[in-house]
Amino acid sequence: MWGTLVRTMVKAGMVKPSSLVKPLSVTRITGRYLAHQEGLPKLPVPPLKQTCDCYLAVLDPVVGPEELNHTRQLVEEFQKPGGVGERLQNGLERRASKTENWLSDWWLQTAYLDYRMPVVIHSSPGVILPRLEFSDRQGQMRYAAKLIAGVLDFKTMIDNETLPVEYLGGKPLCMSQYYQVLSSCRIPGTKRDTVVNYALDKRPPTHITVVHNFQFFVLDVYNSDGTPLTVDQIYMQLEKIWNSSLQSNKEPIGILTSNHRNSWGKAYNNLIKDKTNKESVRAIQKSIFTVCLDAPMPRASDDMYRTRAAVQMLHGGGSRWNSGNRWFDKTLQFIIGEDGTCGLIYEHAPAEGPPIVSLIDHVVEYTKKSEMVRTPMIPLRMPLKLRFNITPEIKRDIEEAKQNMNIMVRELDVKVSVFSHFGKDFPKSQKMSPDAFIQMALQLAYYRMYKRCCSTYESASLRMFRLGRTDTIRSTSIDSARFVKAMDDPTRQNTEKVSLLEKAVKAHRMYTDMAIRGQAIDRHFLGLKLQAIEELSALPEIFLDTSYAVALHYNLSTSQVPAKTNCVMCFGPVVPDGYGVCYNPMETHINFAVSAFNSCQDTNAARLAQALEYALVDMKTLLEQTPKAKL
Ligand code: COA
Ligand code: HC5
């Protein structure tokens, strides 16, 4: 067992107990897992010239000719022999030779722990499970018990190191993220946050936290012999929790975690001055995961169901609904509503979507097959209710967090839609990459709405490399721009449009291959910039240039997260005038979630979702109605 191995390592002095609660990037585990990890290649540093050339090409469709000319000169200056670019590149290569992954610590810090906006909407993604049949509290509890047992079943695979290794493009992937999602939690700071992981603790946690009516409980999910509780036993324990948290008049302490990180960091320091509060907070942070038993939300029509569920996952609906029924710093929070709305929200710092989704796929299958088996009932201890002493100052912080949360709730515009005309099957039948096809449809939808192209981000996995996270696929290219401009131009022939579409799809697939092989430009540029901060007294001009700001202003922030389960994943936009678009392409349909901010007059999630549907249909029609050119 992994736990045993770690304990052996501790005894042998290989791992210092003080390092057991530590930032994720330095986790060390032995056994099969380690052998697999060591076999993975290290993330390369791409050649400087390649990145510079590619940068100029990706700017072409999003900046004007004068800006581009100016940037071309800056790039020339930057990469000239003996220049600042070469110096930074050398520094980066030195860093790469000395570290397991030159990027992962920097990325964790910059993308997550230094980021000061609330994790709610701005960072934490949500997942909506297919609608469940139940509509009462028995159903809710029964499902929650099965789900908890399912997660524990998945945990056994992690602990035993029997998780099947994943592959992308025929290459084995880094599995370290699976070891970061359970028993971990983000901790706020007044300037920057940290993440702790208790899975490697001498005595790893054996409890989860359950929250109902804003009240937190510690639920031990293992028997003293180390076996997990049965579904039946968990059910009984959940009943006890429910019955001792009937009143909903409690202070929603968890809502503090939704605030701006600096404010929450300050409030946190004040909160944990009290010993009881500190112990309660620690119990939540240490728990394997959290289960939120949610009150029913206002009903929605069938076609709005998923959209309503998305907001429940992303923010909980505001302070008078379920937003206080959360601890947003907790890596994994499963949400189970009394009305059958289920899903989860996860804190993004420790892991990407795919490991979370593979956990979900496992749990959903588990909940289908597991029946309630009556087990002989050994009386179990009452789950411990976590106490909080609320001083007037804490009360003020809660009120402030409530207000800010309610503003965020009003701000978020979401539309979930199921595109049912086709799925991956159609692009495949046309010998096109389905992901590239969807991305080109998004480009077309955006162009039709705004008559311009924008910087577009698509997540690319870097997990082919040890401790790899993500890089950016820039979906807007010279070829995508040519295609979207031609598509609605009546002076162009259909055969020409088809050929432009094919070229654009190929270009996207090529960028994808480049990105997953560690040769994309975004993380390389980030590395060069951070290297400059460490090595130089001033930032090189290319990083202060308007083009660089435009390149990083992602009006479209997108991600494909495929799942076996028919679920929908969602996240917020990354700029005030942008969209967040997450999609799960299934074989014959595609689930989309589009988000935007209501305060921006120019954006509208439902409009982009509609434009995307039209674009997909129009592209299919174009391909079907145009005879293939004879070879
Ligand atoms: N003709 C026919 N079929 C094709 C094809 C073509 N020209 N090109 C691709 N296909 C097939 C593939 O074989 C694959 O088949 P499958 O459904 O049997 O698996 C399918 O179409 C999908 O391929 P494609 O659409 O090209 O995308 P992908 O699966 O390679 O994924 C990324 C592309 C960018 C999403 C992927 O590389 C990646 O990085 N994923 C991780 C993203 C991530 O981490 N997101 C979350 C961040 S938190
Ligand atoms: C459950 C699905 C979560 C998807 C989350 C995701 O795609 O996050 C991206 C991570 C990254 O590094 O690209 C960030 N993004 C939401 C801003 C696209």
Side-chain angles (χ1 to χ4, degrees):
M1 291 260 292
W2 169 46
T4 324
L5 284 166
V6 172
R7 279 187 283 280
T8 318
M9 284 164 70
V10 173
K11 269 195 211 135
M14 291 159 73
V15 176
K16 286 195 205 85
S18 59
S19 70
L20 292 175
V21 178
K22 57 186 171 328
L24 2 124
S25 51
V26 289
T27 301
R28 248 173 265 115
I29 310 163
T30 63
R32 221 173 322 171
Y33 164 80
L34 196 64
H36 164 73
Q37 290 298 109
E38 280 180 349
L40 295 170
K42 281 174 79 167
L43 180 70
V45 179
L48 187 61
K49 181 169 184 323
Q50 175 185 302
T51 295
C52 289
D53 291 350
C54 183
Y55 177 51
L56 293 172
V58 301
L59 284 178
D60 185 280
V62 292
V63 302
E66 276 173 27
E67 272 172 317
L68 188 58
N69 255 338
H70 177 66
T71 306
R72 191 169 287 122
Q73 285 164 23
L74 296 183
V75 169
E76 278 311 310
E77 179 65 26
F78 182 70
Q79 63 171 336
K80 71 173 189 235
V84 68
E86 199 175 290
R87 175 172 169 190
L88 297 176
Q89 177 79 0
N90 289 339
L92 211 51
E93 281 166 5
R94 267 197 310 278
R95 180 181 166 94
S97 67
K98 282 192 290 197
T99 50
E100 250 194 296
N101 183 314
W102 63 264
L103 175 65
S104 52
D105 281 352
W106 267 348
W107 181 246
L108 175 67
Q109 211 62 41
T110 355
Y112 298 107
L113 305 180
D114 288 348
Y115 187 63
R116 301 286 77 200
M117 293 296 274
V119 289
V120 179
I121 296 168
H122 299 284
S123 184
S124 298
V127 180
I128 308 140
L129 289 180
R131 191 177 198 162
L132 271 296
E133 294 293 306
F134 61 83
S135 56
D136 60 11
R137 109 181 149 87
Q138 264 75 28
Q140 179 186 26
M141 231 85 78
R142 210 168 287 274
Y143 186 74
K146 285 184 182 181
L147 179 136
I148 293 166
V151 183
L152 296 178
D153 192 55
F154 192 81
K155 183 175 180 294
T156 307
M157 288 200 285
I158 299 178
D159 291 347
N160 293 345
E161 301 181 37
T162 51
L163 267 181
V165 169
E166 291 171 310
Y167 287 79
L168 180 66
K171 299 262 169 51
L173 298 185
C174 172
M175 299 296 285
S176 86
Q177 291 177 24
Y178 283 94
Y179 294 85
Q180 315 296 351
V181 293
L182 297 174
S183 315
S184 62
C185 194
R186 183 162 169 153
I187 296 185
T190 49
K191 292 204 176 72
R192 61 169 46 139
D193 295 357
T194 45
V195 175
V196 286
N197 183 344
Y198 291 90
L200 284 184
D201 216 346
K202 222 184 220 162
R203 259 177 285 137
T206 53
H207 70 279
I208 65 167
T209 30
V210 178
V211 47
H212 176 238
N213 273 336
F214 310 154
Q215 296 152 66
F216 288 84
F217 292 81
V218 165
L219 169 55
D220 256 305
V221 284
Y222 288 93
N223 295 302
S224 50
D225 64 357
T227 54
L229 297 194
T230 63
V231 171
D232 234 15
Q233 286 175 310
I234 300 170
Y235 177 81
M236 303 289 278
Q237 294 297 77
L238 291 176
E239 282 259 297
K240 292 182 199 162
I241 288 177
W242 179 283
N243 289 330
S244 51
S245 52
L246 292 174
Q247 292 153 334
S248 59
N249 58 355
K250 292 285 182 290
E251 284 297 339
I253 186 86
I255 208 155
L256 288 172
T257 60
S258 71
N259 217 347
H260 187 278
R261 302 309 295 176
N262 290 355
S263 317
W264 169 216
K266 220 167 130 226
Y268 178 82
N269 291 340
N270 182 44
L271 178 74
I272 61 167
K273 273 188 206 149
D274 177 282
K275 191 164 167 277
T276 306
N277 293 348
K278 190 175 182 171
E279 281 168 11
S280 295
V281 167
R282 185 56 52 89
I284 300 172
Q285 291 166 342
K286 269 188 95 161
S287 60
I288 305 169
F289 55 91
T290 296
V291 169
C292 311
L293 299 174
D294 268 16
M297 299 270 286
R299 283 214 158 269
S301 59
D302 277 356
D303 61 325
M304 284 304 285
Y305 169 76
R306 287 188 183 81
T307 299
R308 195 196 56 69
V311 305
Q312 186 169 350
M313 299 312 139
L314 283 172
H315 57 55
S319 63
R320 59 181 290 241
W321 300 102
N322 289 299
S323 299
N325 215 42
R326 307 275 185 276
W327 193 265
F328 286 106
D329 290 349
K330 191 72 196 151
T331 310
L332 266 180
Q333 296 195 89
F334 296 92
I335 296 161
I336 299 161
E338 202 177 318
D339 55 6
T341 312
C342 293
L344 67 84
I345 178 164
Y346 84 91
E347 200 292 298
H348 210 324
E352 313 307 339
I356 310 284
V357 169
S358 93
L359 183 151
I360 297 219
D361 283 340
H362 181 88
V363 170
V364 167
E365 279 311 304
Y366 187 96
T367 55
K368 279 184 200 155
K369 65 172 190 239
S370 113
E371 275 313 305
M372 299 280 276
V373 200
R374 289 252 154 241
T375 41
M377 275 297 147
I378 313 151
L380 293 167
R381 261 196 322 203
M382 171 67 203
L384 176 76
K385 186 184 216 158
L386 295 175
R387 305 273 161 202
F388 286 96
N389 294 321
I390 312 282
T391 62
E393 205 178 341
I394 298 171
K395 171 96 180 117
R396 267 200 308 278
D397 290 335
I398 291 176
E399 288 310 312
E400 183 200 291
K402 274 188 189 172
Q403 275 180 22
N404 289 342
M405 171 53 103
N406 294 341
I407 293 169
M408 284 198 287
V409 166
R410 282 197 295 276
E411 251 296 69
L412 186 72
D413 171 20
V414 192
K415 175 71 188 167
V416 175
S417 54
V418 177
F419 177 78
S420 50
H421 296 265
F422 57 88
K424 286 192 283 186
D425 52 354
F426 176 71
K428 280 185 190 174
S429 74
Q430 300 292 311
K431 309 238 171 330
M432 289 181 174
S433 147
D435 184 66
F437 190 86
I438 296 167
Q439 284 289 332
M440 290 311 110
L442 257 171
Q443 289 298 308
L444 179 58
Y446 191 90
Y447 187 78
R448 282 176 168 175
M449 279 174 76
Y450 298 98
K451 300 290 166 277
R452 69 175 191 96
C453 299
C454 68
S455 287
T456 307
Y457 178 113
E458 185 194 356
S459 306
S461 176
L462 284 180
R463 285 176 56 210
M464 275 184 196
F465 305 100
R466 212 181 305 160
L467 302 183
R469 297 287 304 251
T470 61
D471 206 326
T472 309
I473 302 165
R474 288 185 169 266
S475 312
T476 311
S477 64
I478 295 174
D479 293 302
S480 76
R482 283 192 186 130
F483 161 65
V484 298
K485 284 174 188 162
M487 184 68 183
D488 295 332
D489 182 346
T491 66
R492 307 289 195 93
Q493 297 292 316
N494 277 0
T495 43
E496 193 189 350
K497 293 179 188 175
V498 167
S499 125
L500 290 173
L501 170 58
E502 282 172 344
K503 257 185 119 172
V505 162
K506 278 207 180 99
H508 187 84
R509 188 59 237 182
M510 271 177 66
Y511 202 114
T512 300
D513 287 333
M514 188 173 99
I516 61 177
R517 282 186 291 107
Q519 299 294 324
I521 65 169
D522 278 72
R523 302 298 181 267
H524 188 197
F525 258 19
L526 174 73
L528 292 166
K529 189 175 149 192
L530 294 174
Q531 193 64 32
I533 292 171
E534 283 190 2
E535 263 191 58
L536 308 175
S537 52
L539 272 186
E541 279 207 61
I542 52 161
F543 299 122
L544 305 167
D545 182 25
T546 326
S547 295
Y548 189 60
V550 173
L552 291 180
H553 191 89
Y554 293 113
N555 291 98
L556 284 174
S557 165
T558 77
S559 188
Q560 179 196 141
V561 190
K564 292 199 193 101
T565 310
N566 188 15
C567 54
V568 190
M569 299 79 167
C570 48
F571 49 75
V574 294
V575 293
D577 57 344
Y579 293 97
V581 182
C582 196
Y583 50 98
N584 173 12
M586 312 286 285
E587 213 44 42
T588 57
H589 72 277
I590 310 168
N591 297 334
F592 286 106
V594 179
S595 64
F597 290 120
N598 280 318
S599 61
C600 177
Q601 296 296 311
D602 296 336
T603 56
N604 183 310
R607 270 188 67 208
L608 183 69
Q610 182 68 76
L612 180 55
E613 297 212 359
Y614 288 147
L616 283 164
V617 169
D618 292 351
M619 281 160 58
K620 177 174 186 257
T621 310
L622 172 73
L623 288 167
E624 282 176 340
Q625 289 182 351
T626 313
K628 284 256 174 295
K630 296 266 179 309
L631 287 173

